[in-house]
């Protein structure tokens, strides 16, 4: 399935705004929690910075150098201003009293950082997983709403990768594009302001260092997008390949192709690894270059502050910093200023790294939006109404259908199926038999013509009410990795155990179910591979029966059954199905004989229709030829005394 490029990979401010608009419904669902998280994170950051400056002034300025402390120290620790502030230098006794204050202050800082930081970390995980869960649910809902035409072209592994892997990018985008950049920007600006208080030259240096960061981002961004898209597409292809291999493991083992399949896997895996390695190595190179820029800036800042500290030059905003105990450049001022410079510079580096990672996130989220932008081919009409209880007939009127315009599947099919009668849809493989039933279920819509139930075009009915009155047993024998009980009542989750057992008896499944280790509570496992094909088919028939719908579709219902079981199942179904409209999609002649009318298709065209006993008498009829090709003779299929 080739998706339209409705979401280009370029990540500019317009693209970021568009992503924000598309993700807003998911963000809004946890908006209150997100606001609390952001506010709490900002508050704890301001607390840590301010309290950290207080501790630095206490330890380096007062305890180690003996410089007078600031008014904040007096207010926080209750110190005597005449001993610790209004002096030229601290006495030995005063300095010896400070280590215990530094230790306890550091303990408080660590406890707050670890305690509240851990709580915020887990709170953030909960918030982002809630968003991711909503995104995945929306993706699955959108995929299930698509028609068979879409799923005929889509690759299962690619859809799995988009739902499971690409969808996770929504939390990454929210975190690394909408939240953390603002947090880093806040740290950068806050650090810039603090540095300007110490020295405007430091603020200018950290500001100038931002320019090469912008140039690096502009150069690497388009290249990273191309590499990350290639990596995701190759990993998606690998997922599809693995899914196909696991699904076809019986064929692989039966044909002895394990070694060739293994070699093919290694090739696919190597391509995926190579693409991912190329993308990640370029991202790592961006990080190294950003680190180099920050390192050069840090080296310049430390050199400048070291010179100022050695000469005890006055700080720029003396009155503002006096409260923290910083008046002159000394060890305390050097430590505080270089820490703030490092915080601001590393914020730039982190911002650039995020920008690089955001290229990958934008590619992944773009693939998600490609699915979310899909409008289902099959939707309720604006004026659709509920389907009334089925009473009379189902009609196909000049129905044609094609998955692709140049390959017709059905061509001008017309037939009527009455209530209380069994209609067999027969013909060679690929004739369009199952497609007819898919159209009745509105899994796709006719290209031309219409299908009516009791004279009402099914396109004017709501899809849910239509499918509620139709039950189907598919030829694929699809079962889920749940218990026998839950598989049978899949279409009717609230069905009682008694109803389940009754449906199983109609399908001749009750006996073997009771013999299972846990009876109806036995888990089937993935694809129910421990059951035989015939057992799986009978469970599917029971699932169709329990729905108790007035229209029943049996798609090759007895293909995997032995002759004796087939006759018993068909007899039970015929008895159970009185007063219902039954469609039998089959090529087994023993099953066809149970029908009231036969509709013979070939190459998508309805060539003959009528009772089996009538059609078989037409020596030049295509149905008779079909029967003869299947059996080599027609005598045994004719009612005694009806031989031509």
């Amino acid at each position: 399935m080739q998706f339209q490029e409705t979401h280009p990979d370029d990540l500019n401010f317009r693209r970021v705004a568009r992503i924000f608009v598309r993700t807003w419904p998911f963000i809004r669902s946890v908006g209150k929690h997100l606001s609390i998280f952001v506010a709490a994170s900002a508050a704890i950051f301001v607390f840590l910075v301010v309290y950290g400056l207080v501790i630095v002034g206490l330890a380096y300025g007062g305890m180690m150098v003996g410089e007078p402390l600031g008014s904040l120290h007096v207010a926080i620790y209750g110190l005597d201003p005449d001993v610790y502030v209004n002096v030229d230098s601290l006495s030995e006794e005063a300095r010896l009293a400070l280590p215990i204050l530094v230790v306890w202050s550091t303990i408080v800082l660590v406890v707050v950082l670890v305690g509240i930081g851990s709580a915020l970390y887990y709170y953030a995980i909960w918030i982002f997983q809630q968003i991711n869960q909503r995104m995945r649910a929306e993706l699955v809902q959108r995929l299930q709403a698509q028609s068979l035409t879409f799923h005929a072209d889509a690759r299962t592994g690619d859809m799995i990768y988009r739902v499971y892997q690409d969808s996770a990018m929504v939390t990454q985008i929210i975190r690394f594009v909408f939240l953390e950049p603002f947090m880093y920007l806040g740290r950068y600006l806050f650090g810039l302001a603090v540095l300007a208080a110490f020295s405007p030259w430091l603020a200018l240096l950290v500001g100038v260092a931002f320019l090469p960061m912008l140039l690096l981002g502009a150069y690497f961004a388009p290249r990273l997008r191309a590499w990350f898209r290639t990596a995701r597409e190759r990993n998606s292809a690998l997922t599809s390949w693995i899914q196909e291999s696991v699904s076809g493991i019986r064929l692989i083992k039966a044909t002895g192709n394990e070694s060739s399949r293994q070699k093919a896997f290694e090739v696919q895996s190597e391509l995926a690894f190579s693409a991912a390695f190329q993308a990640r190595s370029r991202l790592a190179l961006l990080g190294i270059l950003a680190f180099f820029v920050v390192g050069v800036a840090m080296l310049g800042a430390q050199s400048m502050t070291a010179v100022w500290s050695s000469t005890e030059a006055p700080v720029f905003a003396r009155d503002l910093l006096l409260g923290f105990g910083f008046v002159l450049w000394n060890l305390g001022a050097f430590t505080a200023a270089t820490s703030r410079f490092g915080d601001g510079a590393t914020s730039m580096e982190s911002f650039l790294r995020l920008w690089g990672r955001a290229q990958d996130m934008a590619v992944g989220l773009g693939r998600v939006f490609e699915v979310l932008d899909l409008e289902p081919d099959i939707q309720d009409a604006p004026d659709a109404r509920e389907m009334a209880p089925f009473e009379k007939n189902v009609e196909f009127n000049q129905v044609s259908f094609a998955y692709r315009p140049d390959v017709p599947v059905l061509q001008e099919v017309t037939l009527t199926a009455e209530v209380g009668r069994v209609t067999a849809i027969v013909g060679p493989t690929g004739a369009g038999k199952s497609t007819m039933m898919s159209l009745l279920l509105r899994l796709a819509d006719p290209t031309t013509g219409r299908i009516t139930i009791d004279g009402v075009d099914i396109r004017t009915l709501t899809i849910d009410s239509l499918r509620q009155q139709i039950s189907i047993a598919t030829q694929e024998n699809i079962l889920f990795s749940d218990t026998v009980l839950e598989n049978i009542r899949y279409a009717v989750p609230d069905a009682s155990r008694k109803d389940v057992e009754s449906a199983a008896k109609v399908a001749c499944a009750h006996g073997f179910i009771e013999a299972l280790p846990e009876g109806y509570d036995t888990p089937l496992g993935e694809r129910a591979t421990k059951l035989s094909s015939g057992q799986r088919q009978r469970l599917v028939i029971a699932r169709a029966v329990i729905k108790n719908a007035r229209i029943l579709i049996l798609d090759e219902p007895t293909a995997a059954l032995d002759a004796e079981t087939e006759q018993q199942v068909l007899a039970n179904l015929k008895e159970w199905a009185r007063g219902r409209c039954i469609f039998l999609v089959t090529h087994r002649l023993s099953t066809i004989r149970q029908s009231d009318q036969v509709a013979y298709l070939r190459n998508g065209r309805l060539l003959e229709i009528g009772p089996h006993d009538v059609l078989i008498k037409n020596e030049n009829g295509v149905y008779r030829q079909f029967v003869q090709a299947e059996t080599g003779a027609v005598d045994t299929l004719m009612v005694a005394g009806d031989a031509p």
Side-chain angles (χ1 to χ4, degrees):
M1 176 75 188
Q2 294 296 323
F3 288 92
Q4 295 181 349
E5 294 294 332
T6 55
H7 292 275
D9 294 336
D10 58 301
L11 189 63
N12 48 37
F13 289 110
R14 181 180 298 178
R15 174 76 166 133
V16 170
R18 189 184 304 142
I19 290 175
F20 180 79
V21 171
R22 291 306 312 274
T23 54
W24 174 245
F26 304 100
I27 298 174
R28 185 174 55 188
S29 63
V30 291
K32 179 180 178 181
H33 296 284
L34 209 54
S35 299
I36 293 173
F37 171 76
V38 171
S41 298
I44 193 67
F45 171 73
V46 172
F47 169 78
L48 291 176
V49 170
V50 173
Y51 197 44
L53 287 174
V54 170
I55 295 176
V56 168
L58 187 69
Y60 290 95
M63 185 179 71
M64 298 182 66
V65 180
E67 293 286 346
L69 301 180
S71 57
L72 283 177
H73 297 106
V74 172
I76 294 173
Y77 300 105
L79 301 175
D80 186 351
D82 294 332
V83 176
Y84 289 95
V85 179
N86 302 323
V87 293
D88 293 330
S89 63
L90 298 182
S91 65
E92 191 70 22
E93 183 181 356
R95 293 173 64 184
L96 291 175
L98 296 180
I100 190 64
L101 297 180
V102 173
V103 170
W104 281 109
S105 298
T106 305
I107 291 174
V108 170
L109 190 66
V110 171
V111 168
V112 171
L113 180 62
V114 173
I116 300 181
S118 299
L120 286 175
Y121 175 76
Y122 285 105
Y123 190 32
I125 290 176
W126 182 87
I127 292 171
F128 294 135
Q129 288 307 311
Q130 290 294 312
I131 296 172
N132 195 18
Q133 168 64 19
R134 285 170 170 81
M135 171 70 84
R136 286 179 176 171
E138 179 72 17
L139 275 172
V140 171
Q141 182 183 41
R142 190 57 59 94
L143 285 173
Q144 290 184 148
Q146 302 308 309
S147 68
L148 288 183
T149 304
F150 169 86
H151 289 289
D153 294 330
R155 297 187 68 183
T156 302
D158 182 58
M159 293 300 103
I160 293 173
Y161 194 87
R162 288 174 190 259
V163 171
Y164 180 72
Q165 192 72 23
D166 290 335
S167 66
M169 293 301 101
V170 67
T171 60
Q172 302 294 310
I173 281 286
I174 293 171
R175 179 179 175 183
F176 295 123
V177 175
F178 299 144
L179 289 183
E180 290 201 10
F182 288 103
M183 295 172 65
Y184 286 132
L185 182 61
R187 287 173 56 185
Y188 175 75
L189 295 176
F190 188 85
L192 204 64
V194 173
L195 288 173
F198 279 98
S199 171
W201 289 106
L202 288 177
L204 179 62
L205 180 59
V206 77
V208 169
F210 194 68
L211 296 178
M213 295 289 193
L214 292 177
L215 295 175
L216 286 173
Y219 176 80
F220 274 90
R223 292 163 176 79
L224 286 172
R225 287 192 295 272
W227 289 320
F228 279 125
R229 173 162 281 279
T230 301
R232 285 190 173 274
E233 288 175 347
R234 289 187 180 176
N235 275 282
S236 176
L238 178 63
T239 303
S240 292
W241 195 95
I242 294 172
Q243 184 268 333
E244 291 172 357
S245 296
V246 173
S247 298
I249 189 63
R250 288 193 175 212
L251 176 63
I252 294 171
K253 296 181 75 66
T255 55
N257 277 327
E258 293 96 334
S259 59
S260 62
R261 200 68 180 171
Q262 177 68 26
K263 291 178 182 177
F265 167 77
E266 291 173 2
V267 171
Q268 292 281 344
S269 182
E270 179 64 29
L271 288 173
F273 168 78
S274 177
F277 177 77
Q278 292 292 327
R280 295 295 171 183
S281 62
R282 266 61 174 192
L283 181 61
L285 177 60
L286 174 63
I288 292 171
L289 293 175
F291 179 79
F292 175 76
V293 172
V294 169
V296 171
M298 282 291 296
L299 184 61
Q302 289 189 345
S303 299
M304 293 167 63
T305 53
V307 171
W308 293 332
S309 298
S310 65
T311 60
E312 294 188 344
V315 297
F316 178 72
R318 176 177 180 145
D319 294 339
L320 178 63
L321 297 176
L322 182 61
F324 296 94
F326 302 123
V327 178
L328 301 175
W329 279 97
N330 53 31
L331 181 60
F334 172 85
T335 303
T338 53
S339 296
R340 289 304 95 214
F341 189 95
D343 194 46
T346 53
S347 294
M348 288 190 303
E349 179 189 2
S350 299
F351 186 89
L352 186 61
R353 288 178 182 271
L354 283 183
W355 186 251
R357 294 179 62 186
Q359 311 309 313
D360 182 29
M361 300 170 205
V363 171
L365 201 56
R367 285 165 49 86
V368 170
F369 288 153
E370 288 171 354
V371 176
L372 292 179
D373 283 346
L374 291 172
E375 289 297 333
D377 298 334
I378 310 302
Q379 300 186 67
D380 287 336
D383 57 347
R385 62 183 187 276
E386 297 289 311
M387 178 178 167
F390 174 66
E391 295 180 351
K392 299 177 182 178
N393 57 43
V394 175
E395 290 186 281
F396 287 74
N397 188 1
Q398 296 290 305
V399 170
S400 297
F401 175 76
Y403 289 107
R404 299 197 307 269
D406 58 329
V407 184
V409 179
L410 293 174
Q411 301 180 65
E412 299 180 345
V413 173
T414 298
L415 70 83
T416 300
E418 304 286 345
V419 69
R421 294 170 63 83
V422 178
T423 299
I425 312 295
V426 304
T429 301
K433 305 183 295 293
S434 297
T435 300
M436 280 186 64
M437 299 301 97
S438 296
L439 297 180
L440 178 57
L441 283 161
R442 283 206 75 195
L443 299 179
D445 277 339
T447 307
T448 61
R450 67 178 195 151
I451 303 171
T452 63
I453 296 178
D454 293 339
V456 179
D457 192 325
I458 62 174
R459 286 173 291 197
T460 66
L461 304 173
T462 62
I463 296 173
D464 288 343
S465 67
L466 169 68
R467 293 174 183 169
Q468 194 64 36
Q469 297 200 44
I470 302 175
S471 187
I472 182 171
T474 60
Q475 61 178 315
E476 291 88 357
N477 297 334
I478 298 171
L479 296 170
F480 301 99
S481 54
D482 208 331
T483 63
V484 173
L485 179 74
E486 296 304 326
N487 267 281
I488 292 178
R489 66 181 183 188
Y490 177 75
V492 191
D494 57 348
S496 67
R497 194 181 190 91
K498 182 178 179 181
D499 292 336
V500 172
E501 292 180 2
S502 298
K505 289 175 181 177
V506 172
C508 297
H510 181 71
F512 84 79
I513 294 174
E514 287 288 285
L516 293 174
E518 299 176 53
Y520 282 85
D521 297 316
T522 303
L524 293 181
E526 189 170 354
R527 298 192 305 278
T529 53
K530 294 182 181 180
L531 299 181
S532 69
S533 297
Q535 289 173 329
R536 292 198 297 270
Q537 192 160 52
R538 280 178 277 171
L539 290 183
V540 171
I541 294 172
R543 185 167 62 199
V545 168
I546 198 173
K547 193 174 179 181
N548 201 29
R550 296 270 290 168
I551 301 173
L552 178 64
I553 300 171
L554 300 173
D555 195 348
E556 297 288 2
T558 60
L561 303 182
D562 60 81
E564 182 180 353
T565 304
E566 176 192 15
Q567 293 304 314
Q568 184 61 55
V569 170
L570 289 175
N572 291 351
L573 284 173
K574 202 161 187 179
E575 176 66 24
W576 171 83
R578 289 180 180 177
R580 293 177 170 85
C581 180
I582 312 297
F583 290 93
L584 277 176
V585 180
T586 184
H587 67 278
R588 293 187 68 165
L589 303 178
S590 55
T591 305
I592 297 171
R593 289 292 302 271
Q594 305 296 323
S595 66
D596 297 294
Q597 71 171 348
V598 178
Y600 178 75
L601 278 78
R602 181 190 293 170
N603 296 328
R605 292 187 179 276
L606 180 60
L607 300 183
E608 281 190 319
I609 186 168
H612 164 79
D613 295 336
V614 173
L615 296 179
I616 203 69
K617 293 178 182 179
N618 184 356
E619 294 187 6
N620 298 319
V622 290
Y623 176 69
R624 180 187 173 96
Q625 295 171 9
F626 168 75
V627 171
Q628 204 160 14
E630 289 287 319
T631 65
V634 297
D635 294 343
T636 58
L637 290 153
M638 300 175 66
V639 179
D642 287 339

